[in-house]
């Protein structure tokens, strides 16, 4: 397996520390190999265990794989919807948006409502810009025809304050997703000490998101 490659180094990342921080798309996989492996696996499954979705969750950020669009198209031959969970940082790149348009379900990461909080929680690679990120998410959401969701990871003492809840909820609202998930770190990430916000903060976040959307 290639070392974890991502445009972010999130404090809660369960894949571990980012070995290679990058926004350069590269060949990380061969679509035909992914197709064959999935085909072999699906053949072994009985009806009860057959998946609802085929989901891309890579060792880092899946949109860094230059072959993502081709892989999605191949997997769609199985007749199952294809999902991609992305940190959304490469959406400024038209080829990334085009690849994701092939998917049936896309989840965008939405942890921070301002640049300082973004730097703290997602620790982006140098060169990314928060305003551009927000604009490109809006652009993608306005053009994507599939099911759009967002996911917001809440971390104690990092992004669990009311201004951030309000700012993120507003930005999520602008995207008009089918669902906006709030999540908390449950498994210990490698190398960092993070924990979930206390129940009062979680309740506050839920109230703000519910009232905004
Ligand atoms: S974007 Fe995902 S893979 Fe990358 S550091 Fe954050 S949690 Fe880990």
């Amino acid at each position: 397996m290639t070392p974890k490659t991502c445009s972010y180094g999130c404090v809660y990342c369960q894949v571990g520390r980012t070995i290679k921080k990058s926004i350069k798309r590269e060949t990380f996989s061969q679509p035909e190999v992914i197709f064959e492996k999935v085909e072999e696996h699906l053949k072994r499954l009985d009806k009860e265990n057959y998946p609802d979705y085929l989901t891309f969750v890579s060792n880092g950020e899946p949109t860094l794989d230059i072959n993502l669009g081709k892989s999605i198209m191949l997997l769609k031959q199985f007749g199952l919807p294809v999902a991609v969970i992305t940190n959304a940082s490469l959406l400024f790149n038209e080829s990334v948006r085009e690849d994701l348009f092939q998917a049936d379900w896309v989840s965008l990461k939405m942890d921070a409502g301002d640049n300082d909080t973004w730097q703290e929680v997602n620790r982006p690679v140098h060169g990314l810009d928060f305003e551009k990120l927000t604009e490109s998410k809006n652009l993608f959401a306005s053009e994507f025809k599939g099911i759009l969701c967002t996911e917001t990871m809440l971390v104690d003492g990092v992004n669990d304050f009311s201004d951030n809840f309000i700012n993120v909820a507003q930005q999520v609202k602008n995207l008009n997703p089918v669902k906006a998930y709030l999540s908390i770190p449950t498994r210990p990430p490698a190398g960092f000490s993070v924990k979930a916000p206390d129940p009062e903060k979680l309740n506050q976040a839920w109230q703000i998101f519910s009232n905004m959307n």
Side-chain angles (χ1 to χ4, degrees), residues 4 6-10 12-16 18 58-61 87 109 122:
K4 177 192 167 190
C6 191
S7 45
Y8 283 1
C10 303
Y12 55 77
C13 186
Q14 289 164 358
V15 186
T18 302
S58 58
N59 186 26
E61 169 52 33
N87 68 17
K109 186 182 289 301
N122 299 127

Side-chain angles (χ1 to χ4, degrees), residues 76-94:
K76 288 185 88 160
Q77 293 179 37
F78 295 115
L80 289 165
V82 175
V84 182
I85 298 174
T86 171
N87 68 17
S89 64
L90 274 78
L91 286 178
F92 65 86
N93 182 329
E94 190 179 353

